[in-house]
Amino acid sequence: MGIIIAILLFSFIVIFHEMGHFLIAKANGIEVEEFALGMGPLLFSKEYKGTRYCLRLLPIGGACMMGEDDEATGSEGNFHSKSVWARIAVIAGGPVFNFILAFILSVILIAMVGYDQPVAEQVENGYPAAEAGIQPGDRIVRIGNKKINIFREISTYNQFHQGETVDVTYEHNGEKYTVTLTPKYDEENQYYRLGISRGANEKAGFFKSLQYGMYEVKYWICTTVSSLKMLIMRQVGIDQMSGPVGIVGVVDETYQASSQYGVLTVIASMLNIAILLSANLGVMNLLPIPALDGGRLVFLFVEAIRRKKIPPEKEGYVHLIGFALLMALMVVVMFNDIRKLIM
């Protein structure tokens, strides 16, 4: 069951991404040749207002074909006949819709389970937070150069900066104080800790759900960016990356663990994973890598600055090379995922 949920979840997120391209292309008068749900052999298709809507056999992802890889024609609805800013909007529409989806799901999740405000519920004796004077009930407002909105940002910052001395600003009785903390190594857990623990989630009304929904999306975007920085700086290796196989494994494990607590817990767990995946997909697609939306945006912004189109054949070669490299990376990541499952 968990594997089926993983496939449907990932497909829904990809389809929403393609829906962003589709809706903005239509709004700009661009001809969309095909909008497909799934991949593989065709099961059903219907043409409506110049677009063929297709349902394909394999329920994996989807596609919006709008001629961005085709040669320019004199047609008014041709992708390349539109202004560079219209084309930028269409290409950016996919990642933007991923962030919108992440926000919608975050609002739903927070309305269900509440939000984790950055308040210290417990401060452990013998650890730097207590020694610096932080007390239960104090609110953490900044750690390092990062503003804190939810408690998980504290935990994640510490995870990405293990053992590093950091300035922490907290609020006590309406007054703000800044202290310098050096995490202490926990021998039992083999982890550097500040000694601050969170409490239960706070219930959220409508406006709080909207507010913390934004914080939730920001958290996952920042976490994805920080992870990419660590990968570039070789603080983590490619073998620690996960692809589709790894995602299916995580979703299945999460489903198995949460199913014993009831349907609402399963829904909340799947929403949390969907938020992560959607925000992650949005960030990854904005990377300036050929064949991704970010790579296409680079060419379009260069065109906007030069006020002259880059020869399509040159851009096509770059995207082809980028696609080949991405496929090679996917093979490596998939190999790592399968190896982890076997070991």
Side-chain angles (χ1 to χ4, degrees):
M1 184 64 180
I3 295 174
I4 295 173
I5 291 174
I7 293 172
L8 295 177
L9 201 62
F10 186 74
S11 295
F12 174 68
I13 292 167
V14 172
I15 290 167
F16 207 86
H17 174 97
E18 296 299 326
M19 184 68 73
H21 293 312
F22 173 80
L23 292 177
I24 298 178
K26 285 289 189 178
N28 282 279
I30 294 172
E31 296 172 353
V32 178
E33 300 166 12
E34 180 181 312
F35 186 81
L37 303 181
M39 298 174 61
L42 182 66
L43 294 178
F44 171 80
S45 73
K46 181 177 177 61
E47 187 171 335
Y48 180 71
K49 291 188 177 180
T51 300
R52 182 164 293 279
Y53 298 88
C54 301
L55 179 64
R56 298 187 178 274
L57 178 62
L58 303 176
I60 304 173
C64 175
M65 300 178 185
M66 51 192 173
E68 71 272 25
D69 293 320
D70 299 338
E71 293 184 4
T73 67
S75 171
E76 183 180 347
N78 182 262
F79 179 84
H80 298 283
S81 70
K82 301 300 178 179
S83 72
V84 65
W85 296 109
R87 284 177 280 139
I88 286 172
V90 172
I91 297 301
V96 169
F97 263 56
N98 279 129
F99 298 139
I100 292 173
L101 176 61
F103 172 68
I104 293 170
L105 297 179
S106 295
V107 171
I108 295 171
L109 178 64
I110 291 166
M112 287 176 59
V113 304
Y115 59 94
D116 57 327
Q117 58 177 337
V119 173
E121 178 73 12
Q122 294 181 333
V123 182
E124 298 179 58
N125 291 328
Y127 281 88
E131 293 173 353
I134 297 177
Q135 300 176 28
D138 290 348
R139 186 180 189 89
I140 310 301
V141 296
R142 184 172 290 275
I143 182 166
N145 59 357
K146 183 176 181 60
K147 184 179 178 181
I148 301 298
N149 298 116
I150 58 178
F151 195 93
R152 276 166 295 155
E153 291 176 314
I154 303 170
S155 306
T156 302
Y157 185 94
N158 184 46
Q159 179 184 350
F160 287 169
H161 300 82
Q162 276 285 281
E164 296 181 15
T165 298
V166 62
D167 290 335
V168 175
T169 301
Y170 66 96
E171 190 175 279
H172 177 79
N173 292 334
E175 297 289 334
K176 289 184 179 179
Y177 303 88
T178 299
V179 293
T180 301
L181 306 182
T182 300
K184 180 181 177 180
Y185 191 70
D186 184 334
E187 295 287 350
E188 182 179 348
N189 296 301
Q190 298 184 343
Y191 193 76
Y192 284 95
R193 299 173 55 208
L194 298 173
I196 305 172
S197 301
R198 55 168 287 187
N201 281 3
E202 292 284 330
K203 290 184 178 180
F206 177 73
F207 291 108
K208 280 291 183 181
S209 295
L210 293 176
Q211 178 186 0
Y212 278 85
M214 291 294 294
Y215 293 155
E216 188 79 13
V217 176
K218 173 199 164 193
Y219 167 75
W220 285 117
I221 291 174
C222 292
T223 300
T224 301
V225 172
S226 295
S227 299
L228 287 170
K229 286 180 181 178
M230 292 181 71
L231 182 64
I232 293 171
M233 299 299 293
R234 297 187 177 181
Q235 293 173 301
V236 297
I238 292 179
D239 60 329
Q240 293 177 266
M241 295 177 65
S242 287
V245 175
I247 292 170
V248 169
V250 169
V251 173
D252 186 48
E253 289 177 10
T254 304
Y255 172 78
Q256 298 298 335
S258 60
S259 59
Q260 58 184 313
Y261 299 105
V263 175
L264 288 179
T265 303
V266 172
I267 292 173
S269 299
M270 294 304 107
L271 280 173
N272 198 47
I273 292 176
I275 294 164
L276 161 63
L277 292 177
S278 193
N280 184 278
L281 185 62
V283 172
M284 296 301 290
N285 265 281
L286 285 176
L287 294 178
I289 297 175
L292 294 180
D293 292 333
R296 295 183 184 278
L297 287 172
V298 169
F299 280 97
L300 289 171
F301 280 120
V302 169
E303 178 185 333
I305 294 169
R306 295 174 67 232
R307 297 186 179 182
K308 182 180 178 182
K309 288 187 177 182
I310 296 173
E313 63 276 9
K314 292 183 179 179
E315 182 178 348
Y317 288 141
V318 173
H319 288 314
L320 181 62
I321 294 171
F323 181 76
L325 292 175
L326 283 174
M327 289 301 100
L329 177 61
M330 285 299 297
V331 170
V332 173
V333 171
M334 186 173 294
F335 173 78
N336 287 331
D337 285 342
I338 294 172
R339 185 184 63 181
K340 290 173 187 176
L341 289 175
I342 296 174
M343 293 177 63

